[in-house]
Each structure stands twice: as C-alpha cells, then as structure tokens.
Amino acid sequence: MMAPEGIGALLRGSREAAGLTREEQASVLQAAQGGKWFDPENLKRWETERRLPTPIWHALLAECYGRSTEEIVRAVVASRRHRRLYRLIDQEKREEGSVVDRRKFLGVAAAATGMAGVPDISEARQGINAGLSASDGSDLAYLNGAFERHRGGYRGRPPHEVLEQMKADLDLLRELLGRPHPAAVRKDLARTAAGITGLVAVIQHDRGEQRDAVGWFATAEQAARESGDRHMLAWVLSRHAMVPLNYGAPNAAAVMAMRARAEAGRSPSAAAALAAAVTARSLASVGDREGALRAVGDARATAARLDSAQVADTWFGYPPQKHHVHLSQAFTLMGRTREAYAEQESALALTKAPSVMTRALVAVDGAACVRADGDPTTAAGLALDVWRQLPPASRGGLVRSRVESLCQSLPGRTGNTLREALVSR
C-alpha cells in the first residue's frame, strides 16, 4: 500500500487531474529535458512507489507537474517514512519469541512516522517489497555530487540564495543519517555531512548570523571527528576560527586556529595553509606582530607546496587569490600598508568578476590602509564607494562588519556620510 501523502499519490493524482495518460505525461517530461528519452515505465514505478525519484529528478518533476520543489521533496520523504514503517513491521514479525504487543507496536510506529492510521497487515506485503527494493546508493551518490556543487562558492550569488538551494539537500542528509549503514559507508557519509554543514556555517558567518554559524560549525566538527578525516577537521576548525576573528574575539580565534594547525599536521594541504593564514590574521589582530609574521611565513611556505587539487577555487581549496586576501588582511591589521597593497593588487588580479564579496573585502582593506597612511577623508570616500556598489543582498554580515570597523576609526565628521549610508542600508 502506498503512502497516502507520498510521491506516488501526488504524481498520479496530478497527472489524472490534467487528463493525461502515463505516456503523455512521459512526453511532457521528455520535452522538458530537451527531447531526451523518458521511459513511461519509469513514471509507472514512481506512481506505484516501486521506486522513488532521486533528488536529481525533483526540479524536473516540480516544473512538469506545476508543483514546488519543496512539495516534491516532502512527498518523497512521506513515501520513505511509509517504507520505513513496513520495514519495522516485517522485522518485528520475523523476530521469534517477541513479547512486543502487535497492536501497540503498530500504534507507536504510526505515531513515529506521522501516519494517522495503519493499513491492515494483509495489505502490508506490497509496501514491504517496495521498501526492501529501495537502495541508499543513489541517494548517497547524489548527496556526494551535491557536496561537490555547493563547495564551489557563491559564484556571484547572494548568500541567502545559496542557502535556499541547499535546503532540499540538507533534508536528504538528515534522512540518510537516520538510516543504518555499514561502517565504511557511515564514515564517508559523516565526511560529506561535515562538508555540507560546514558550508552552511560559512554562509551563516558571511551573513552575520554568528550564533547560528557557531552551531553549524559544532555540528560539522562532530561529523568530521566521526569521519576520521583530519584534514576535514582542520578545515572546519580554521573556518570556525574566522567567526570570532571577524566579529571581535581575536584571542579565541587564535586558539582555535592553532588547534586547526595541529590537526592539519606538517604535510602541505589547503587546510594547513588556511590554518596558518587565519593564525596570522588572529595574531595581527591582537597585536602580536612577531607571531603574525611567522604565521605569514608558514602560510606562504605551505601554499607554495600545494598541488593543483589543493589550490582549486572552492570553499575547500586554498587558491592563490584567497591566499592574498588573507595576507592582505593580516598586513592591514599590522599597519604594514606597502605589503598589504601588494597583496590586494595580487588578489584582485586573480579574482574572477562574480566574486562580489571578495572584491568588496579587498577594497575595504585598501581603504583601511589609506586611513593608516594618514588620509581618513579619502579612506571614507573609498569605503562609501564600495558600500554603494554592493547589491543590497550583500550589504550585511562580514562586509558590513568590516565597513563599520573602518567607520569607527575615522575621526570627527570625516565618516558622517559613510555612517549615514550604513544606517540607511
């Protein structure tokens, strides 16, 4: 028996309401794919829930059935819950000598899965067979692919838009983590979980949602430890350190960055380079110039030894432009403006056009250097230009924090226009 609110009922009900046969609906799906063949038998398997559409199909189904992606995801989740119920029933039935009362078991299982009622046991076999035929393989493969897509960074998109696109994948991740897996698969899933939750934490950090970012980083750290991947753990700790670093607690940031360096070890990696760069920024922020310069040297030495995979332009790589952005901030905080300008020039030369946030942060560093060189009026004008050119969706979080910090350093009425712009947003 299929789930009353599952994907099979949704697809069949929508198709029949439109007066279409399965073959005609398959033609609609085929046309939406640019003419790529779509087998009506595949649609039949979905409607009868012998198979469930994997996430790669969700957007297409939403488009062709006039539904939102969220509705498709909810229906698939309802079908999975229904399958899980039947697995529980079958397991209990096969356990000899069980003292669990059958009716009580069914009632508890129904409550756990959110079902209002439970079908007669004689009708359960079809659902059990459907559940037993399901495989996590496609979901795991999809989730790994989603991780690869999301790790590419903003690519010109505002942070809230990236989060919206990650919602369905977070739901799938939660669903998969609730299922039993062999030990090796569980470790791989934990690593993927660490990466995806770490990305959410990075986005929340950039949006200025400090508390939520810390919570997501804690989740990512737990997953990374479960996976046993020390480089993933070092990356999580390094990125976590940037929350206190960018929002007023540099001493805490330095401690966490040093933990990241210990986890990364001595072998060259993107995580090790990032940890050294964040350490440099943290120490520069607390006034330890000697320590900051040593960390800068470590970051440069490590970055010079990275292979092509480690310097990929993703949130998990340590590309040259990211290296220069970090060192720009470190030298700016130390007041070594000549070196900071050089790093800013190198960063901008390597940064691709859609990198709105990177360009803004580098420009604010430049304005801070001008302020340090004794020209607050020009510094205020430069920061104001940066702020006005930002899309409204990007005028928050980290960029706003940096502009506000510069604004506070401007004497007298020098920064009044900039202050007014910040207030008006």
Side-chain angles (χ1 to χ4, degrees), residues 188-201:
D188 288 342
L189 180 58
R191 184 184 185 281
T192 300
I196 290 179
T197 55
L199 292 179
V200 175

Side-chain angles (χ1 to χ4, degrees), residues 103-119:
R103 291 180 182 177
K104 182 178 180 181
F105 170 76
L106 293 176
V108 171
T113 55
M115 295 176 59
V118 177

Side-chain angles (χ1 to χ4, degrees), residues 1-313:
M1 187 174 180
M2 295 188 304
E5 298 179 355
I7 191 65
L10 184 151
L11 296 181
R12 181 173 179 176
S14 298
R15 174 178 62 76
E16 291 179 346
L20 299 176
T21 65
R22 282 202 186 101
E23 288 71 21
E24 289 169 336
Q25 185 69 58
S27 296
V28 173
L29 290 160
Q30 181 170 317
Q33 295 186 101
K36 183 179 179 181
W37 166 248
F38 187 90
D39 189 352
E41 284 299 309
N42 198 34
L43 180 56
K44 182 178 180 180
R45 286 189 285 270
W46 289 344
E47 287 189 358
T48 59
E49 296 192 357
R50 284 183 292 163
R51 292 287 187 274
L52 301 182
T54 57
I56 197 171
W57 295 103
H58 291 175
L60 179 67
L61 290 174
E63 176 187 349
C64 294
Y65 283 82
R67 303 282 183 152
S68 68
T69 304
E70 288 74 18
E71 287 179 283
I72 299 296
V73 171
R74 281 197 297 269
V76 172
V77 169
S79 296
R80 286 202 183 100
R81 286 174 178 166
H82 202 69
R83 288 182 169 190
R84 189 180 301 119
L85 170 65
Y86 284 134
R87 288 194 186 101
L88 290 171
I89 294 171
D90 191 52
Q91 178 183 354
E92 177 63 16
K93 186 177 179 180
R94 289 185 282 107
E95 287 180 353
E96 295 183 5
S98 172
V99 296
V100 178
D101 179 80
R102 178 70 56 189
R103 291 180 182 177
K104 182 178 180 181
F105 170 76
L106 293 176
V108 171
T113 55
M115 295 176 59
V118 177
D120 188 271
I121 193 67
S122 63
E123 299 176 352
R125 183 57 54 189
Q126 179 183 358
I128 294 169
N129 287 337
L132 292 173
S133 68
S135 170
D136 288 342
S138 60
D139 285 343
L140 289 167
Y142 170 82
L143 200 59
N144 286 330
F147 176 35
E148 291 299 314
R149 290 194 301 276
H150 295 313
R151 69 189 292 167
Y154 292 119
R155 306 300 189 199
R157 300 167 296 171
H160 73 273
E161 183 179 312
V162 179
L163 279 182
E164 286 291 331
Q165 294 171 359
M166 294 181 73
K167 279 184 178 179
D169 297 328
L170 290 169
D171 288 339
L172 177 60
L173 175 60
R174 180 176 58 185
E175 181 79 12
L176 284 177
L177 286 169
R179 305 179 200 172
H181 301 284
V185 174
R186 178 72 187 189
K187 289 176 74 71
D188 288 342
L189 180 58
R191 184 184 185 281
T192 300
I196 290 179
T197 55
L199 292 179
V200 175
V202 169
I203 296 169
Q204 291 296 71
H205 158 268
D206 292 348
R207 296 177 70 228
E209 300 290 342
Q210 301 171 47
R211 184 173 180 178
D212 201 45
V214 169
W216 281 102
F217 274 126
T219 299
E221 181 178 346
Q222 181 180 349
R225 290 189 185 282
E226 183 177 327
S227 75
D229 187 329
R230 293 187 64 181
H231 288 294
M232 175 62 77
L233 178 57
W235 178 85
V236 170
L237 292 172
S238 296
R239 295 301 309 225
H240 191 172
M242 292 168 69
V243 179
L245 172 61
N246 289 320
Y247 294 104
N251 283 298
V255 171
M256 189 168 290
M258 290 174 186
R259 284 178 56 202
R261 296 189 72 180
E263 291 293 345
R266 296 185 177 182
S267 60
S269 67
L274 176 62
V278 174
T279 300
R281 290 175 54 192
S282 302
L283 295 178
S285 189
V286 299
D288 182 358
R289 294 191 178 189
E290 185 176 335
L293 288 173
R294 283 198 301 270
V296 165
D298 291 342
R300 284 174 166 167
T302 304
R305 298 169 60 198
L306 298 181
D307 59 29
S308 58
Q310 297 285 343
V311 298
D313 188 8

